[in-house]
Amino acid sequence: MALDTVPSNYGQVDIGIVHLGLGAFHRAHQAVYLERHLARHGGSGGWGICSANIRSNWRLVEQLRAQGQRYHVAEYADREHVTLREIAAIRETLYAGEDGPDREALLVRMSDPKVRIVTLTVTEKGYYLNPAEGTLMTDDPAIAHDLDNPDSPCTAPGMLVEALARRHRAGIPPFTVLSCDNMPDNGKRTRQAVIDLACQRDAVLAEWIAANVAFPSSMVDRIVPAMTEQDFARLAELGIDDTAAVVCEAFSQWVVEDDFPQGRPDWEHDGVEMVSDVAPFEAMKLRMLNGSHSLLAYLGALDGVETVADAVSRPDIAALLTRYMQDEAIPTLSMPAGTDLTDYTERLLARFGNDSLRHRTHQIAMDGSQKLPQRWLNGAQSRLAAGGGIACTALGVAAWIRYTRGGDLHGQPHTVDDPMAETFAELHRRHAGSDDALVAAFLGLESIFPSTLASDERFTRPVLAAYRSLEARGVAATLDNLDSLAL
Ligand code: CS2
């Protein structure tokens, strides 16, 4: 095996970025870019990160502290080529989850004038936005909690509003808010969540935020599966005993809208692509990479396929993904000149085939209610408006509906991990005897499906046909007969 090691080699660093969502993705993506940045500047420049967990995982914070806030990222190009990086860019870790002891410390840090950027990876559901419309769900209990306890918030929008309120009161310029989650217009969506929440608190504050805070959008990309015992064992073989380590692919991309009125790292020299408009890149990545991911995840999971690499090693699934990308995703995109989407398709399939990663289909299948609109439904709307077909997308939606029943097509039960899981369970109970009624009830979920799709037979008919076929004939036979289903 070819192993490259890259140790961290700088000393003191000031904190200039607060990050909300200390998950594996952040540790393997943003922190690696900042590590490169800090190494290039010998630690100077003031762009160290304070990273906070705002939901769960106190243990990770404890582990990182015990390790002097250092950890490793193992980048696997394939089974034979690994780059092992030591990361020290995260200078401080805080636990501000429910009853988290560091909630106030986090707000103090976010109010520090030296902090000029707050970044987020809190997943789609962490913004508390209605997935279809993108407006703040003010009746959600967590948001209600933050409205009742504005100085001790538990959500990301609540933290941002409270920290901005403190800065406003103290006459400190605001920080720039950079969302690094997989949502279209993630900057605009974050802005909407923050301003909607601020409006409920204080109109003057809301106006100040609207006029003064920048919310650039960004597209983030790196495949970072949840760590398994096997991953830790592999790292142990490389001599690494690090419970905060992360394993990921070698590929990484970060495209950021260049709108940082309070300054930013010169990270264009660290591989970050700074652009004036991220939207085409976001749509490309969400519809092609994430759309394919969800497609293989639901179909694979229903057929007992455990990982992404196993799924794409099946010719029928690989062919479906190619067809989906070529026929249903690419025609909906308008990219800057010079972007080669056929090449992008091939590279994606190669990345999915990287069998040195154990990326579980069930991991990708979680939170479908939050993911479907940007991965499939926006594209499907454009396709139908242009008179195009959506057979693969309809099959994906059918597989998702079947997946939410909580078991695969071979009778193996699984957990449905989704903020709407209870609603799904209730629909499956209520419509157990009728596929028609069940599919209609799912497509009628307004927080997921726009009415233009729910009322369009060119969408509803193939979804129902695919659902019936999956149930009656299974995944392989359905894939074999996809064209006859879509008629
Ligand atoms: C995946 C993403 O879990 C999922 O839904 O589709 O996390 C995916 O691995 C990343 O977006 C890749 O950049």
Side-chain angles (χ1 to χ4, degrees):
M1 161 174 323
L3 172 66
D4 275 343
T5 44
V6 186
S8 186
N9 62 0
Y10 50 88
Q12 184 58 36
V13 178
D14 283 343
I15 290 173
I17 299 176
V18 169
H19 180 76
L20 305 183
L22 173 57
F25 184 78
H26 164 66
R27 303 206 297 288
H29 187 265
Q30 182 190 338
V32 175
Y33 286 95
L34 265 303
E35 177 66 27
R36 228 174 270 154
H37 178 82
L38 293 170
R40 198 161 50 78
H41 289 276
S44 68
W47 293 112
I49 310 170
C50 161
S51 229
N53 228 319
I54 63 167
R55 273 164 49 91
S56 53
N57 214 347
W58 165 236
R59 277 197 26 221
L60 177 63
V61 171
E62 236 174 13
Q63 284 154 3
L64 280 165
R65 286 179 184 169
Q67 298 175 188
Q69 313 286 14
R70 282 169 186 263
Y71 65 95
H72 294 84
V73 172
E75 303 171 343
Y76 281 80
D78 52 45
R79 283 172 187 260
E80 299 306 318
H81 298 89
V82 190
T83 302
L84 187 62
R85 296 181 193 280
E86 187 188 19
I87 307 292
I90 300 178
R91 312 302 291 182
E92 177 181 52
T93 44
L94 298 173
Y95 176 58
E98 244 165 78
D99 65 36
D102 302 330
R103 201 175 276 179
E104 181 55 26
L106 172 59
L107 289 164
V108 169
R109 180 57 84 186
M110 291 170 82
S111 316
D112 179 345
K114 287 210 227 71
V115 167
R116 288 180 284 155
I117 302 176
V118 174
T119 53
L120 298 99
T121 50
V122 291
T123 79
E124 300 87 345
K125 62 178 177 256
Y127 294 82
Y128 297 88
L129 294 168
N130 175 308
E133 281 142 32
T135 47
L136 187 72
M137 301 192 297
T138 39
D139 50 356
D140 186 280
I143 294 294
H145 166 277
D146 288 3
L147 285 170
D148 290 343
N149 306 275
D151 54 357
S152 179
C154 65
T155 70
M159 302 271 178
L160 290 167
V161 171
E162 174 60 11
L164 287 166
R166 291 184 187 195
R167 291 176 86 111
H168 182 217
R169 274 201 302 272
I172 300 168
F175 41 69
T176 296
V177 182
L178 178 64
S179 166
C180 302
D181 278 296
N182 281 322
M183 300 183 299
D185 292 326
N186 54 8
K188 284 203 192 87
R189 285 191 174 230
T190 311
R191 182 175 194 272
Q192 174 99 38
V194 168
I195 291 180
D196 280 1
L197 187 60
C199 275
Q200 307 273 326
R201 266 184 69 170
D202 172 354
V204 175
L205 172 64
E207 265 171 44
W208 180 76
I209 294 175
N212 295 286
V213 183
F215 292 86
S217 284
S218 77
M219 180 271 251
V220 294
D221 189 9
R222 175 165 252 191
I223 293 173
V224 188
M227 288 293 284
T228 63
E229 287 308 319
Q230 272 166 300
D231 292 321
F232 286 116
R234 278 201 286 183
L235 291 177
E237 280 169 25
L238 302 179
I240 300 298
D241 174 19
D242 174 356
T243 43
V246 198
V247 164
C248 61
E249 65 174 337
F251 179 89
S252 184
Q253 190 178 13
W254 197 8
V255 187
V256 179
E257 185 187 345
D258 202 355
D259 181 17
F260 291 81
Q262 311 303 329
R264 62 166 174 83
D266 60 344
W267 49 29
E268 60 273 33
H269 302 296
D270 308 306
V272 182
E273 295 163 59
M274 302 301 303
V275 299
S276 56
D277 184 12
V278 176
F281 299 97
E282 275 182 325
M284 172 188 81
K285 193 255 171 173
L286 285 166
R287 293 182 194 172
M288 293 186 68
L289 187 157
N290 298 111
S292 299
H293 248 178
S294 292
L295 200 50
L296 72 84
Y298 294 119
L299 287 164
L302 284 181
D303 216 8
V305 178
E306 214 191 316
T307 68
V308 173
D310 290 344
V312 296
S313 73
R314 269 178 61 162
D316 58 353
I317 294 187
L320 174 76
L321 299 184
T322 306
R323 174 172 169 184
Y324 161 74
M325 287 193 266
Q326 274 171 4
D327 294 358
E328 297 179 34
I330 292 177
T332 69
L333 301 171
S334 50
M335 300 303 297
T339 315
D340 182 344
L341 293 175
T342 307
D343 181 58
Y344 188 69
T345 305
E346 278 158 21
R347 284 169 195 262
L348 286 181
L349 290 171
R351 288 170 63 194
F352 295 163
N354 181 348
D355 67 357
S356 59
L357 303 177
R358 291 194 60 73
H359 198 185
R360 297 183 65 246
T361 49
H362 285 290
Q363 186 186 345
I364 299 167
M366 68 189 279
D367 290 345
S369 66
Q370 313 291 306
K371 295 175 174 173
L372 263 52
Q374 58 269 25
R375 294 182 180 208
W376 292 339
L377 308 181
N378 295 350
Q381 281 177 283
S382 323
R383 272 305 276 161
L384 291 175
I390 42 95
C392 307
T393 306
L395 173 61
V397 172
W400 167 73
I401 296 175
R402 181 59 182 75
Y403 180 88
T404 62
R405 197 199 287 182
D408 70 11
L409 291 165
H410 307 287
Q412 194 63 32
H414 57 240
T415 304
V416 178
D417 199 336
D418 193 294
M420 290 181 70
E422 275 176 32
T423 306
F424 299 158
E426 167 56 22
L427 293 183
H428 282 289
R429 266 194 302 274
R430 200 182 316 151
H431 301 294
S434 161
D435 294 347
D436 282 49
L438 179 79
V439 168
F442 267 83
L443 300 185
L445 291 168
E446 285 172 6
S447 63
I448 305 176
F449 294 94
S451 55
T452 46
L453 280 183
S455 62
D456 190 333
E457 280 218 328
R458 293 172 303 163
F459 178 70
T460 56
R461 219 170 343 109
V463 173
L464 178 60
Y467 185 88
R468 287 195 172 130
S469 174
L470 285 172
E471 197 67 277
R473 299 189 274 185
V475 172
T478 301
L479 288 173
D480 272 352
N481 290 292
L482 191 57
D483 285 313
S484 57
L485 284 180
L487 289 175

